Amino acid sequence: MNNQIEGASRGESKIYRGGSPDMGLSAGVNYSRGVNKFDNTPAQNKAPDFNAFEMAVLSDRAEEKGLQYVCSAFELGEHRDPVKYPGKKHWRTGRLVQPRSFQPFDCDGFQDANTFVKARAYWQRFRGFGYTTASSTTGDPRARVVLALSRQVNRDEGIRLGYAMQAVALTELGADAIKFDDSVYKGEQPLYLPPTTAEAFSFYGEVVDVDAILIGAPDVIAAKKVARPSLGPVALALMGSTFVLADRVTDGEGREAAILKYAGHLRGKHIDQATIERVVLDYNQLHIKPPLTEDVVLDRARRFESPEFRQTSSEGCLPEPQVLVESLPPVPTFLIAMLPKAIGAYVQDVAERMSCPVDFPAVAAMVALASAIGSRIHCKPYPKGTWMVPAGAWGMVVA
């Protein structure tokens, strides 16, 4: 095992292809390694950095199911049942769990093989690695994933972090996309190493920003039976942006606007339209109170739909482009002569330098002049009466 770690350290540049490593990658990784599922006092190891930890795990292949595993490191201490387990050792128990700098996920199943492909693409936004399990098949894939963290987390934080990231993944990929085994969120639970037949894969995105996710993440330490805990105001910086998904939107708080914004956010992430519709329908049922009708949700999800992601024919080709029909009345040509001579010359010069229609700088110039004049000058629109109007102006360019 030590040889594997040293070799991984020498090959660091081959493992990490991202930007300059930060503390989440360069800091040492403490972990335990057990020889089989009955090993209650696993060996304590430390990899010099996450890249070396990845190499150690992926190269430590098991000959059969239920053999070697990794989990959090453990403090030296007594077992909670000292009569049955006497002496001070590194017992694999929750009482002795030490902070860890990696987050494991055990995916016991995917909706289908295509979902497995999408899930791997989803995890590419993070720095980490994964591998298929002994029971994984082409038609029924199963996998384990390990992600690098920006800082160490204790046992309770690891549980909250696991549930929060699980909820975000299911929100984006679909409610039934992945069947998570949440037991590995506990530091003492074993994550079995890849079998000799496993397919391994690495992710070269960003380390998981622990604090950004844990801020506002619900306390789900005791929520073992909750399949999909509420997101809370979890920042979807996890998804690579500062978009925040509301946990609950009630009538009068902009239910339709929330759906529209969420669909736009997903579209900006280059998610295909079919997935966007499935995700927002699920979000509507879980977080919109009362839920909107399916027709309304789909209408908002399809607003501003890009042709690039639109549903195509069975051959996978986009439909033939259609001729655009002019449905708006013609707009009169703007005449520079309508402006005062000095302003007209200025506007003409700006338009030529910027290669834009003279309308654009003309509108801006007139509004700027009106703002400068302010309320110092008034006009009297009607010959009879006392109504006075200041020289105010509002303008907007639509193009």
Side-chain angles (χ1 to χ4, degrees):
M1 194 66 176
N2 290 333
N3 291 335
Q4 293 167 351
I5 293 177
E6 292 171 2
S9 180
R10 292 194 298 270
E12 178 177 342
S13 61
K14 296 181 181 179
I15 296 297
Y16 182 75
R17 296 198 295 263
S20 59
D22 59 15
M23 61 174 289
L25 296 178
S26 59
V29 179
N30 297 314
Y31 67 100
S32 298
R33 178 188 182 273
V35 296
N36 58 51
K37 60 184 179 181
F38 303 108
D39 188 354
N40 202 26
T41 55
Q44 303 301 293
N45 291 303
K46 182 173 183 177
D49 51 41
F50 186 82
N51 301 320
F53 176 61
E54 175 184 21
M55 178 68 79
V57 171
L58 294 183
S59 61
D60 194 3
R61 300 294 180 113
E63 293 295 334
E64 59 183 82
K65 186 176 181 180
L67 293 184
Q68 58 260 43
Y69 65 83
V70 294
C71 57
S72 294
F74 298 97
E75 180 184 356
L76 184 66
E78 292 185 350
H79 196 277
R80 60 184 175 184
D81 187 355
V83 175
K84 185 176 181 180
Y85 303 101
K88 285 188 175 182
K89 297 181 181 180
H90 296 284
W91 296 107
R92 186 171 63 83
T93 175
R95 292 177 57 254
L96 302 177
V97 166
Q98 294 294 289
R100 68 184 179 196
S101 54
F102 60 93
Q103 184 67 30
F105 295 92
D106 190 356
C107 305
D108 261 355
F110 297 84
Q111 196 168 36
D112 49 43
N114 187 47
T115 303
F116 178 48
V117 174
K118 291 181 178 179
R120 286 174 60 171
Y122 168 82
W123 282 313
Q124 282 295 344
R125 67 194 63 181
F126 305 110
R127 176 66 182 100
F129 61 91
Y131 49 90
T132 54
T133 69
S135 55
S136 177
T137 64
T138 302
D140 185 17
R142 300 184 180 189
R144 297 187 177 100
V145 173
V146 180
L147 303 180
L149 304 182
S150 60
R151 66 168 176 82
Q152 290 186 331
V153 295
N154 59 35
R155 183 178 185 271
D156 291 348
E157 287 178 323
I159 296 173
R160 291 178 59 211
L161 185 66
Y163 276 118
M165 295 189 69
Q166 170 184 319
V168 174
L170 294 179
T171 300
E172 180 164 337
L173 298 173
D176 301 319
I178 305 174
K179 181 181 178 182
F180 287 98
D181 180 352
D182 55 15
S183 64
V184 296
Y185 303 155
K186 300 176 181 179
E188 70 272 19
Q189 290 298 315
L191 186 78
Y192 291 102
L193 295 177
T196 54
T197 57
E199 176 190 2
F201 33 87
S202 298
F203 313 122
Y204 299 102
E206 302 295 327
V207 297
V208 175
D209 190 337
V210 173
D211 294 317
I213 299 170
L214 290 185
I215 292 176
D219 185 359
V220 292
I221 296 173
K224 184 176 181 180
K225 297 181 180 179
V226 178
R228 293 192 62 203
S230 173
L231 276 176
V234 177
L236 295 188
L238 183 71
M239 294 181 170
S241 79
T242 55
F243 176 79
V244 176
L245 187 62
D247 180 53
R248 182 182 178 90
V249 183
T250 60
D251 191 12
E253 295 181 341
R255 295 178 299 163
E256 296 179 16
I259 293 293
L260 186 63
K261 290 178 181 179
Y262 190 23
H265 167 73
L266 296 176
R267 187 167 294 112
K269 291 295 179 183
H270 301 287
I271 307 299
D272 65 273
Q273 185 61 29
T275 301
I276 290 174
E277 293 175 11
R278 186 169 63 250
V279 168
V280 295
L281 283 170
D282 177 58
Y283 176 73
N284 175 61
Q285 291 299 319
L286 290 172
H287 301 283
I288 301 295
K289 306 298 179 184
L292 298 165
T293 64
E294 182 174 321
D295 290 343
V296 171
V297 174
L298 292 178
D299 175 74
R300 300 306 182 270
R302 292 166 182 169
R303 295 278 181 94
F304 315 116
E305 178 186 350
S306 170
E308 179 183 356
F309 303 111
R310 210 165 274 163
Q311 292 295 315
T312 60
S313 62
S314 58
E315 289 78 15
C317 301
L318 291 173
E320 290 295 325
Q322 299 179 2
V323 178
L324 295 177
V325 179
E326 184 61 65
S327 59
L328 299 175
V331 179
T333 302
F334 179 81
L335 300 177
I336 198 74
M338 292 191 295
L339 296 173
K341 188 174 181 180
I343 301 300
Y346 166 76
V347 167
Q348 186 72 46
D349 180 62
V350 172
E352 291 176 357
R353 290 174 183 270
M354 297 186 65
S355 299
C356 70
V358 293
D359 314 39
F360 295 6
V363 170
M366 296 305 296
V367 172
L369 285 174
S371 299
I373 294 171
S375 60
R376 290 178 295 173
I377 299 177
H378 288 66
C379 65
K380 193 176 182 181
Y382 304 107
K384 296 180 180 181
T386 58
W387 184 27
M388 304 294 286
V389 181
W394 294 263
M396 180 173 64
V397 173
V398 179

